[in-house]
Amino acid sequence: MSFVREFIKKAWESWSTRIGIVFLAILIILSILVVLTYPMDFGTRVWSNPSYWADNPRLAPPIWASFFTMAKTPTHTALKLNQPTNMLEEEDLTLMEYSVEINYGYDDYPSFLHVLIKNVTFYSTRPPRIEVWIGRPDSLIVRLTSFTIRGPSPTEEPPYRRYVESPYRIILTEDSSSILNLIYSLNEKYDSNITLDEVSTIGSERLFFGCPSKLGGRGFSILRGPYRLYARVYVYDGLGSVGEVDFILGGKTYGLLGTDMIGRDLMMGLLYGFPASLMIGFLASVLVTSIGTFLGVLSGYIGGRTDTVIQRSSDVVLNMPLLPILIFFTFIFREFGMRFLLIILVLTAFSWPGLTIIIRPMVMQIKTSQFIEAAISCGASRRWIMRRHILPNLAPFIIAQSIFLVPSAILAEAALSFLGLGDPTLPTWGQILEQGFRSGAIYLGYWWWVIPPGTLIVFTAITFLLITIGLEPILNPKLKSVI
Amino acid sequence: MIKPLFYRSLTLLLVAPAILLLMTLTLGLTGISDRILVSMAEQTLQEVKKSLATQIHDPSALEAAIQLRKQEIYSSYGLDKPWFYRMFQMVIRIATFDLGRTRVIKSFTGSQEVSEIILERIPNTILLVTIPLIFSAIAGILIGVKVASRPGTLLDRLTSYLSVISYTLPSWWIGIVLIILLGFYVKIFPVSGMYSIPPPSGALSRILDLIWHSILPFTTLVIVQIGGWVYSARMIVLNIAQEDYVNAARARGLPEDIVRRRYILRVAAPPIVTNIVLGLSGSLGGAIITETIFGWYGMGSLYYQAIMTLEENLLIALTYIYTLIYISARIILEVMYLALDPRVRY
């Protein structure tokens, strides 16, 4: 393994390789962290599952984006309660109150208000009833909505469990009872005449966190101050319970990298892109390098008819237009599943000839050297010579070439994903970019949806290129002074 | 000397039929070709059924008539024979430039002839892809040769790093960034398309409109391509500058100017010309992604459209033509090499 040590020593001498290796280390560490913390079926179960993202604001820019506008935009807030904040027990009735305080001091309305009820258990045939209330800084207290949990069916045995798999979600800002109750109370208190039609055009968030402006007419102004949101659960058997009550105030900004059209946290998807692209890049590079080297060594060492066949077929394959062919095959076979493997295989099938053609003359040169002659005279087999004498001599060159192949595979996958041919079970940066582009992100100014994935693709490609620049003296031993 | 050249050219010529076979075999073996034709035949049959039903009222006679017409329609689409008969005919037809007709995609004038559709797109692609390529090749080679004369200086290093970055940047990425910056935030360039809607009247204002629309794609392609040219020109020149005969020439006391012109650039010319010819021939295939991003009606976006609507004829014809352009350029190069580089002997 001395050639590997030699190789690393030589590579480390170059500045750009050192930077490249540091970048690569960052990529690899992030990938490992993601692989360890993300679920295996992240793509299908989380990323491509809209219900997972139902409580996120849509198309929200990153939190730090509001620093530039100086306005205090509402941040995304999820308040979760496992225990009731108040409890009132009577003979056959338990009242559990889940209450949260929000000090609203933002310059904008939130994008929505959700209440989630999870894991309800009850024993009596009379099911629990839930009420949602809001207490505003202008001392207006409104019962927004109330509903009764679905009662037991005739065959069901207690305990009756509800909303275990997925929570019961009340979208207060779209709930007609809440909106009507608020309109009624606001009109009464402020002597205004808000109508339902009006609310549907200006947005119902204003009813919750604003008040009709004193000037009359259509205006609303934000009402800052302490709000109290609470859910009252009436249970009729003294034993029933609620697992969790969540109040979610949809922000106008979200997380470090914002959200997309269906509220997906882009940071999660972008982080997943690290292992995904590295895997695609390395796998394709290993396959192309092994096939290319194998055929190149075979062609150069054995010669004769084998050589002619391999060289002619690599000439033919090399001159095929790569991207159209890639698109064609990925599209035709897209329904067979495992599309990222398909992309890697097609990429391999059409990019091995480059290496084969470069390696052949090198093998032919080594073949004429005396140590090969010596090995032959000792009775070494052709396979032995190729494996033990020729390959180690080529090794530094092959390693350098294989590093060079990684970014081209990553870029090819990104290009295919960008054309909508990516693997939906394996979200990559190219796919996020494609979804952004298809949804018109660049024409509507959703920069956080397209700039980060593109930057990451470019960053990864540059990382590998920086490493190869330093390897130039190995690839091209004659060349002494490179950067 | 002629014989090996002939064999090489023959190999290159094999690429075109190889592509045709590869694509038709894939379409045939996966049953996609059959599926497309069956759906077309069924569509025709539905219309025939409707019109027959108004003429014939006896149910059994109607059924018999429909069966008869069905057979006629299926055989007219070539579905009565296995797919390879049909595919074989198609290969022969396309190889002889009878490119056939499309099903859905039409040319701007409404024609469904594949050859017309493709011919219409070629000028657009030349405008979008070829002109920036020529520009960046000339500028890149000039810069590359210039910095290579003083390797290792700050300017040389800086240029090399910038060119590597430029080489890595995908065109779609720069396109998106430029559209967001200059099309959305600073609204000085249009975000998409070739002409304003509605297009201005008058030839001059139309041309100006087209130029205005092509500035962003032009800039994009120059940014992503120029680095490759700088880098490769620099490498070629540097490689040659370290040859012994160049050192020998310097040792003889020849002026640096003559060493550069006669000993270095003369030898550097063939590989640089190779790059230019290959780049030009490749550019006619169109930049599929760049054209998609900028909403440009060229060969690249046509290919994408063809694959999304599964226009068999158009798809195979387009790939065939890309390949033909590319391999003709390769054959021209093989011949040119003999003329340009006196050292080349097969």
Side-chain angles (χ1 to χ4, degrees):
Chain A
M1 282 287 137
S2 66
F3 62 86
V4 174
R5 217 177 306 137
E6 185 72 7
F7 179 84
I8 292 172
K9 218 181 92 191
K10 219 169 183 176
W12 193 251
E13 282 167 16
S14 149
W15 247 102
S16 59
T17 305
R18 265 182 262 174
I19 300 173
I21 288 177
V22 171
F23 283 178
L24 182 63
I26 297 172
L27 293 178
I28 291 178
I29 290 170
L30 279 173
S31 303
I32 292 174
L33 286 180
V34 168
V35 169
L36 290 180
T37 50
Y38 277 44
M40 279 300 283
D41 49 356
F42 173 77
T44 42
R45 201 166 58 88
V46 179
W47 189 250
S48 310
N49 174 13
S51 68
Y52 188 92
W53 309 102
D55 295 311
N56 277 2
R58 283 159 197 190
L59 294 171
I63 290 175
W64 44 268
S66 58
F67 292 142
F68 300 112
T69 55
M70 302 301 284
K72 273 181 78 183
T73 34
T75 42
H76 192 71
T77 323
L79 300 161
K80 304 187 176 191
L81 297 172
N82 295 319
Q83 297 291 327
T85 37
N86 253 324
M87 228 156 131
L88 195 77
E89 277 179 80
E90 276 172 30
E91 228 168 284
D92 53 350
L93 171 82
T94 318
L95 168 62
M96 295 183 278
E97 197 175 80
Y98 294 81
S99 157
V100 295
E101 294 266 349
I102 297 173
N103 203 349
Y104 203 83
Y106 302 111
D107 296 334
D108 196 358
Y109 296 98
S111 43
F112 58 75
L113 189 61
H114 287 182
V115 176
L116 263 59
I117 315 281
K118 293 179 188 168
N119 245 331
V120 179
T121 315
F122 59 97
Y123 295 85
S124 74
T125 46
R126 189 175 173 191
R129 200 163 63 84
I130 296 175
E131 286 175 355
V132 184
W133 293 69
I134 187 170
R136 298 173 19 124
D138 56 357
S139 70
L140 199 63
I141 294 175
V142 183
R143 195 188 71 174
L144 294 170
T145 189
S146 75
F147 71 101
T148 308
I149 287 170
R150 183 169 54 83
S153 63
T155 54
E156 215 176 348
E157 291 290 323
Y160 311 111
R161 295 182 196 283
R162 300 283 182 270
Y163 317 126
V164 179
E165 296 283 316
S166 54
Y168 183 80
R169 176 176 296 113
I170 315 165
I171 303 174
L172 292 173
T173 34
E174 284 172 23
D175 178 61
S176 56
S177 139
S178 308
I179 292 172
L180 286 173
N181 285 335
L182 273 168
I183 291 177
Y184 177 77
S185 312
L186 283 172
N187 278 346
E188 198 177 38
K189 183 174 172 76
Y190 289 96
D191 200 19
S192 56
N193 49 357
I194 311 162
T195 61
L196 193 58
D197 286 346
E198 206 179 306
V199 170
S200 56
T201 51
I202 59 170
S204 58
E205 319 80 68
R206 279 154 214 262
L207 296 175
F208 291 82
F209 294 95
C211 49
S213 59
K214 299 282 184 297
L215 305 163
R218 309 266 165 262
F220 265 86
S221 54
I222 298 170
L223 182 66
R224 296 186 183 82
Y227 283 79
R228 200 164 83 88
L229 281 162
Y230 49 104
R232 285 183 170 164
V233 183
Y234 297 91
V235 186
Y236 301 98
D237 50 29
L239 282 169
S241 66
V242 174
E244 190 178 313
V245 176
D246 300 349
F247 295 91
I248 294 158
L249 187 73
K252 280 275 157 73
T253 56
Y254 186 91
L256 284 178
L257 289 168
T259 61
D260 71 1
M261 196 84 129
I262 58 171
R264 292 190 278 214
D265 181 359
L266 285 170
M267 191 165 78
M268 268 181 96
L270 291 173
L271 279 174
Y272 191 77
F274 284 99
S277 4
L278 284 192
M279 186 187 70
I280 288 166
F282 281 130
L283 215 57
S285 154
V286 165
L287 280 177
V288 173
T289 317
S290 2
I291 295 177
T293 311
F294 176 73
L295 290 176
V297 170
L298 217 59
S299 163
Y301 190 75
I302 295 190
R305 200 166 293 163
T306 321
D307 182 32
T308 318
V309 171
I310 293 177
Q311 286 306 306
R312 287 298 154 263
S313 35
S314 37
D315 261 352
V316 170
V317 178
L318 189 72
N319 286 301
M320 291 182 173
L322 184 63
L323 189 60
I325 290 277
L326 271 180
I327 296 174
F328 178 79
F329 280 99
T330 320
F331 186 80
I332 295 295
F333 293 110
R334 72 195 183 289
E335 281 149 21
F336 290 84
M338 300 291 279
R339 222 186 287 173
F340 78 95
L341 268 186
L342 171 72
I343 292 173
I344 291 171
L345 288 182
V346 178
L347 201 60
T348 311
F350 292 93
S351 16
W352 56 269
L355 202 56
T356 303
I357 289 172
I358 319 174
I359 279 187
R360 175 173 168 267
M362 302 174 92
V363 174
M364 286 164 78
Q365 204 186 358
I366 300 170
K367 193 181 160 187
T368 57
S369 47
Q370 287 184 333
F371 67 90
I372 301 282
E373 229 171 274
I376 294 173
S377 65
C378 292
S381 69
R382 288 205 293 200
R383 188 184 290 188
W384 172 272
I385 290 172
M386 281 191 261
R387 222 182 50 215
R388 300 304 293 265
H389 293 296
I390 292 183
L391 267 188
N393 271 295
L394 290 174
F397 180 79
I398 294 171
I399 297 173
Q401 281 289 335
S402 69
I403 296 173
F404 191 71
L405 284 167
V406 176
S408 35
I410 292 175
L411 288 175
E413 191 278 335
L416 284 176
S417 293
F418 188 78
L419 292 172
L421 295 169
D423 188 337
T425 63
L426 189 85
T428 58
W429 298 323
Q431 285 174 49
I432 296 176
L433 198 62
E434 187 257 346
Q435 284 147 6
F437 182 72
R438 291 277 162 253
S439 318
I442 57 173
Y443 311 122
L444 300 166
Y446 305 138
W447 52 268
W448 62 92
W449 195 355
V450 285
I451 300 280
T455 313
L456 286 172
I457 295 169
V458 172
F459 175 76
T460 313
I462 286 184
T463 299
F464 286 98
L465 232 76
L466 280 173
I467 297 177
T468 30
I469 292 175
L471 301 181
E472 199 73 53
I474 299 168
L475 292 174
N476 201 344
K478 273 197 307 181
L479 205 61
K480 278 159 259 154
S481 62
V482 235
I483 26 175
Chain B
M1 200 170 101
I2 296 299
K3 210 175 145 196
L5 180 68
F6 174 75
Y7 277 121
R8 273 198 68 78
S9 310
L10 205 66
T11 318
L12 285 172
L13 281 178
L14 266 180
V15 176
I19 283 267
L20 280 184
L21 275 179
L22 199 64
M23 293 182 87
T24 45
L25 279 180
T26 314
L27 285 173
L29 283 173
T30 49
I32 287 176
S33 169
D34 282 340
R35 225 161 55 207
I36 301 170
L37 285 181
V38 167
S39 78
M40 281 166 73
E42 284 298 324
Q43 216 173 350
T44 326
L45 193 65
Q46 285 302 322
E47 283 160 26
V48 170
K49 265 185 195 165
K50 263 183 223 158
S51 70
L52 278 179
T54 56
Q55 292 161 14
I56 308 170
H57 298 292
D58 176 29
S60 60
L62 180 65
E63 189 55 36
I66 286 174
Q67 279 306 322
L68 192 70
R69 290 305 305 274
K70 185 177 175 180
Q71 270 176 11
E72 277 174 28
I73 291 167
Y74 269 59
S75 75
S76 79
Y77 280 105
L79 281 165
D80 51 342
K81 296 195 190 91
W83 60 269
F84 41 84
Y85 283 97
R86 216 169 49 235
M87 285 305 195
F88 182 69
Q89 280 170 3
M90 188 157 92
V91 169
I92 299 290
R93 201 163 46 73
I94 289 180
T96 53
F97 292 102
D98 177 7
L99 300 181
R101 295 168 63 82
T102 56
R103 288 182 293 119
V104 187
I105 296 179
K106 284 184 182 147
S107 74
F108 308 130
T109 53
S111 158
Q112 285 188 308
E113 288 292 326
V114 169
S115 49
E116 272 182 44
I117 298 178
I118 294 179
L119 280 177
E120 215 177 40
R121 301 279 184 131
I122 287 180
N124 292 348
T125 290
I126 291 181
L127 192 69
L128 182 88
V129 190
T130 315
I131 292 177
L133 180 105
I134 294 172
F135 179 86
S136 39
I138 294 173
I141 291 167
L142 288 179
I143 297 172
V145 169
K146 184 91 190 147
V147 294
S149 63
R150 297 216 177 135
T153 55
L154 183 69
L155 182 72
D156 177 48
R157 280 158 190 259
L158 198 69
T159 322
S160 303
Y161 277 119
L162 282 180
S163 61
V164 167
I165 289 173
S166 143
Y167 174 76
T168 334
L169 292 174
S171 61
W172 38 267
W173 167 233
I174 292 298
I176 285 176
V177 172
L178 286 184
I179 290 175
I180 289 188
L181 278 183
L182 300 178
F184 181 78
Y185 282 107
V186 190
K187 290 181 172 47
I188 45 175
F189 292 112
V191 290
S192 173
M194 292 176 65
Y195 294 103
S196 306
I197 303 168
S201 54
L204 183 69
S205 48
R206 261 181 85 88
I207 291 172
L208 287 178
D209 190 43
L210 186 61
I211 292 176
W212 185 51
H213 277 77
S214 57
I215 288 177
L216 277 191
F218 177 84
T219 320
T220 304
L221 288 175
V222 169
I223 290 177
V224 300
Q225 285 173 351
I226 199 164
W229 292 105
V230 172
Y231 197 73
S232 65
R234 178 181 170 275
M235 284 311 251
I236 291 166
V237 172
L238 273 185
N239 261 327
I240 296 165
Q242 293 184 350
E243 293 277 355
D244 289 338
Y245 70 88
V246 177
N247 285 335
R250 286 210 178 98
R252 283 205 302 280
L254 288 177
E256 189 57 34
D257 192 37
I258 290 183
V259 174
R260 267 189 62 198
R261 262 203 329 234
R262 288 200 200 145
Y263 288 77
I264 300 178
L265 294 186
R266 168 86 172 86
V267 187
I272 291 179
V273 170
T274 310
N275 285 350
I276 296 178
V277 175
L278 288 185
L280 279 180
S281 59
S283 80
L284 282 181
I288 297 178
I289 298 177
T290 319
E291 287 182 4
T292 311
I293 286 182
F294 286 103
W296 202 267
Y297 298 106
M299 301 261 283
S301 60
L302 182 64
Y303 188 88
Y304 184 60
Q305 232 181 319
I307 202 140
M308 286 303 161
T309 47
L310 267 181
E311 289 275 9
E312 224 180 12
N313 257 337
L314 186 55
L315 199 59
I316 295 175
L318 267 178
T319 319
Y320 182 62
I321 290 192
Y322 291 163
T323 317
L324 272 192
I325 294 174
Y326 186 73
I327 57 178
S328 353
R330 283 296 308 266
I331 292 173
I332 293 170
L333 271 180
E334 295 287 334
V335 179
M336 250 163 56
Y337 247 52
L338 286 179
L340 270 174
D341 194 339
R343 294 175 308 177
V344 172
R345 292 285 176 271
Y346 284 105

